[in-house]
Short mmCIF file of all heavy atoms in Angstrom, two decimals:
data_model
loop_
_atom_site.label_atom_id
_atom_site.label_comp_id
_atom_site.label_asym_id
_atom_site.label_seq_id
_atom_site.Cartn_x
_atom_site.Cartn_y
_atom_site.Cartn_z
N SER A 160 -80.40 4.00 58.80
CA SER A 160 -81.82 4.26 58.56
C SER A 160 -82.41 3.22 57.63
O SER A 160 -83.53 2.75 57.83
CB SER A 160 -81.99 5.67 57.93
OG SER A 160 -81.44 6.66 58.78
N GLU A 161 -81.64 2.85 56.62
CA GLU A 161 -82.09 1.81 55.71
C GLU A 161 -82.32 0.49 56.43
O GLU A 161 -83.33 -0.19 56.24
CB GLU A 161 -81.00 1.63 54.62
CG GLU A 161 -81.32 0.54 53.60
CD GLU A 161 -80.16 0.28 52.65
OE1 GLU A 161 -79.04 0.02 53.15
OE2 GLU A 161 -80.37 0.33 51.44
N PHE A 162 -81.40 0.15 57.32
CA PHE A 162 -81.52 -1.07 58.10
C PHE A 162 -82.77 -1.05 58.99
O PHE A 162 -83.52 -2.05 59.08
CB PHE A 162 -80.28 -1.31 58.96
CG PHE A 162 -80.37 -2.48 59.89
CD1 PHE A 162 -80.43 -3.78 59.39
CD2 PHE A 162 -80.46 -2.29 61.26
CE1 PHE A 162 -80.52 -4.88 60.26
CE2 PHE A 162 -80.57 -3.37 62.11
CZ PHE A 162 -80.62 -4.66 61.63
N LEU A 163 -83.04 0.07 59.62
CA LEU A 163 -84.23 0.19 60.47
C LEU A 163 -85.50 0.03 59.65
O LEU A 163 -86.46 -0.63 60.09
CB LEU A 163 -84.21 1.52 61.21
CG LEU A 163 -85.34 1.74 62.25
CD1 LEU A 163 -85.31 0.65 63.31
CD2 LEU A 163 -85.24 3.12 62.88
N GLN A 164 -85.54 0.65 58.49
CA GLN A 164 -86.72 0.49 57.59
C GLN A 164 -86.93 -0.96 57.22
O GLN A 164 -88.07 -1.44 57.18
CB GLN A 164 -86.52 1.36 56.33
CG GLN A 164 -86.53 2.82 56.57
CD GLN A 164 -87.93 3.39 56.61
OE1 GLN A 164 -88.73 3.29 55.67
NE2 GLN A 164 -88.28 3.99 57.75
N PHE A 165 -85.84 -1.67 56.93
CA PHE A 165 -85.94 -3.09 56.61
C PHE A 165 -86.45 -3.87 57.81
O PHE A 165 -87.35 -4.71 57.69
CB PHE A 165 -84.58 -3.62 56.15
CG PHE A 165 -84.53 -5.09 55.98
CD1 PHE A 165 -85.17 -5.72 54.90
CD2 PHE A 165 -83.84 -5.88 56.88
CE1 PHE A 165 -85.14 -7.10 54.76
CE2 PHE A 165 -83.78 -7.26 56.75
CZ PHE A 165 -84.45 -7.88 55.67
N ALA A 166 -85.89 -3.65 58.98
CA ALA A 166 -86.28 -4.36 60.20
C ALA A 166 -87.76 -4.13 60.54
O ALA A 166 -88.42 -5.00 61.11
CB ALA A 166 -85.40 -3.96 61.36
N GLN A 167 -88.29 -2.95 60.16
CA GLN A 167 -89.69 -2.63 60.41
C GLN A 167 -90.61 -3.16 59.31
O GLN A 167 -91.83 -2.97 59.35
CB GLN A 167 -89.85 -1.14 60.54
CG GLN A 167 -89.18 -0.53 61.78
CD GLN A 167 -89.24 0.96 61.81
OE1 GLN A 167 -89.49 1.62 60.79
NE2 GLN A 167 -89.02 1.55 62.98
N GLY A 168 -90.05 -3.81 58.30
CA GLY A 168 -90.87 -4.37 57.22
C GLY A 168 -91.25 -3.38 56.15
O GLY A 168 -92.11 -3.68 55.30
N LYS A 169 -90.63 -2.19 56.13
CA LYS A 169 -90.95 -1.17 55.12
C LYS A 169 -90.10 -1.31 53.87
O LYS A 169 -90.38 -0.63 52.86
CB LYS A 169 -90.77 0.21 55.76
CG LYS A 169 -91.74 0.46 56.91
CD LYS A 169 -91.50 1.81 57.54
CE LYS A 169 -92.47 2.03 58.72
NZ LYS A 169 -92.22 3.31 59.41
N LEU A 170 -89.05 -2.13 53.92
CA LEU A 170 -88.28 -2.50 52.75
C LEU A 170 -88.29 -4.00 52.66
O LEU A 170 -88.31 -4.70 53.66
CB LEU A 170 -86.86 -1.99 52.85
CG LEU A 170 -86.61 -0.48 52.87
CD1 LEU A 170 -85.15 -0.17 53.13
CD2 LEU A 170 -87.07 0.17 51.59
N ASP A 171 -88.28 -4.53 51.43
CA ASP A 171 -88.37 -6.00 51.25
C ASP A 171 -87.04 -6.71 51.24
O ASP A 171 -87.01 -7.92 51.45
CB ASP A 171 -89.12 -6.28 49.93
CG ASP A 171 -90.59 -5.91 50.04
OD1 ASP A 171 -91.23 -6.35 50.98
OD2 ASP A 171 -91.06 -5.19 49.13
N PHE A 172 -85.93 -6.00 51.04
CA PHE A 172 -84.64 -6.65 51.15
C PHE A 172 -83.53 -5.65 51.35
O PHE A 172 -83.69 -4.46 51.07
CB PHE A 172 -84.40 -7.56 49.96
CG PHE A 172 -83.58 -7.00 48.84
CD1 PHE A 172 -82.45 -7.67 48.40
CD2 PHE A 172 -83.93 -5.81 48.19
CE1 PHE A 172 -81.66 -7.19 47.36
CE2 PHE A 172 -83.16 -5.32 47.18
CZ PHE A 172 -82.02 -6.01 46.74
N LEU A 173 -82.44 -6.15 51.88
CA LEU A 173 -81.19 -5.38 52.03
C LEU A 173 -80.12 -6.09 51.23
O LEU A 173 -80.02 -7.34 51.24
CB LEU A 173 -80.75 -5.34 53.50
CG LEU A 173 -81.27 -4.25 54.42
CD1 LEU A 173 -80.60 -4.42 55.80
CD2 LEU A 173 -80.99 -2.86 53.89
N ASN A 174 -79.28 -5.34 50.57
CA ASN A 174 -78.26 -5.93 49.73
C ASN A 174 -76.85 -5.67 50.26
O ASN A 174 -75.88 -6.14 49.68
CB ASN A 174 -78.36 -5.40 48.31
CG ASN A 174 -77.32 -5.97 47.41
OD1 ASN A 174 -77.28 -7.17 47.16
ND2 ASN A 174 -76.38 -5.14 46.92
N SER A 175 -76.73 -4.95 51.35
CA SER A 175 -75.38 -4.58 51.83
C SER A 175 -75.20 -4.96 53.27
O SER A 175 -76.18 -5.20 53.99
CB SER A 175 -75.19 -3.08 51.68
OG SER A 175 -76.13 -2.34 52.43
N LEU A 176 -73.97 -5.06 53.70
CA LEU A 176 -73.63 -5.37 55.09
C LEU A 176 -72.72 -4.24 55.57
O LEU A 176 -71.55 -4.21 55.26
CB LEU A 176 -72.94 -6.73 55.17
CG LEU A 176 -72.63 -7.20 56.59
CD1 LEU A 176 -73.91 -7.46 57.38
CD2 LEU A 176 -71.76 -8.47 56.57
N ASP A 177 -73.27 -3.32 56.34
CA ASP A 177 -72.52 -2.19 56.81
C ASP A 177 -71.99 -2.45 58.20
O ASP A 177 -72.62 -3.18 59.02
CB ASP A 177 -73.42 -0.94 56.83
CG ASP A 177 -72.64 0.33 57.04
OD1 ASP A 177 -71.86 0.72 56.17
OD2 ASP A 177 -72.81 0.95 58.13
N ASN A 178 -70.82 -1.88 58.50
CA ASN A 178 -70.21 -2.10 59.81
C ASN A 178 -71.10 -1.64 60.96
O ASN A 178 -70.99 -2.12 62.07
CB ASN A 178 -68.85 -1.36 59.90
CG ASN A 178 -67.77 -2.05 59.12
OD1 ASN A 178 -67.83 -3.26 58.89
ND2 ASN A 178 -66.73 -1.33 58.72
N SER A 179 -71.99 -0.68 60.66
CA SER A 179 -72.84 -0.15 61.70
C SER A 179 -73.86 -1.16 62.25
O SER A 179 -74.36 -1.01 63.37
CB SER A 179 -73.59 1.10 61.22
OG SER A 179 -74.46 0.78 60.16
N TYR A 180 -74.17 -2.21 61.47
CA TYR A 180 -75.16 -3.17 61.92
C TYR A 180 -74.77 -4.63 61.64
O TYR A 180 -75.57 -5.54 61.91
CB TYR A 180 -76.54 -2.87 61.34
CG TYR A 180 -76.62 -2.92 59.82
CD1 TYR A 180 -76.69 -4.13 59.13
CD2 TYR A 180 -76.68 -1.75 59.09
CE1 TYR A 180 -76.75 -4.17 57.76
CE2 TYR A 180 -76.75 -1.77 57.69
CZ TYR A 180 -76.80 -2.99 57.04
OH TYR A 180 -76.87 -3.03 55.68
N LYS A 181 -73.59 -4.86 61.13
CA LYS A 181 -73.24 -6.25 60.74
C LYS A 181 -73.30 -7.23 61.93
O LYS A 181 -73.74 -8.35 61.78
CB LYS A 181 -71.88 -6.31 60.04
CG LYS A 181 -70.67 -6.01 60.88
CD LYS A 181 -69.39 -6.07 60.04
CE LYS A 181 -68.16 -5.72 60.82
NZ LYS A 181 -67.81 -6.71 61.82
N ASP A 182 -72.84 -6.79 63.11
CA ASP A 182 -72.87 -7.69 64.26
C ASP A 182 -74.29 -7.86 64.84
O ASP A 182 -74.57 -8.83 65.50
CB ASP A 182 -71.94 -7.16 65.35
CG ASP A 182 -70.47 -7.18 64.92
OD1 ASP A 182 -70.13 -8.11 64.16
OD2 ASP A 182 -69.72 -6.29 65.29
N GLU A 183 -75.15 -6.88 64.51
CA GLU A 183 -76.53 -6.98 64.95
C GLU A 183 -77.31 -8.06 64.23
O GLU A 183 -78.11 -8.78 64.80
CB GLU A 183 -77.22 -5.60 64.77
CG GLU A 183 -78.74 -5.61 64.84
CD GLU A 183 -79.26 -5.79 66.25
OE1 GLU A 183 -78.49 -5.63 67.21
OE2 GLU A 183 -80.47 -6.09 66.39
#
């Protein structure tokens, strides 16, 4: 959910790399 919020521009940065989206 955090990643989707970031991809939509609702968060300004991500600090982690989770297995659920790392290859994406």
Side-chain angles (χ1 to χ4, degrees):
S160 303
E161 178 187 54
F162 174 68
L163 185 59
Q164 292 277 300
F165 172 72
Q167 293 174 342
K169 296 177 182 178
L170 296 174
D171 290 309
F172 98 125
L173 273 182
N174 179 64
S175 60
L176 184 65
D177 192 67
N178 285 336
S179 63
Y180 60 78
K181 68 181 178 68
D182 294 325
E183 165 72 15

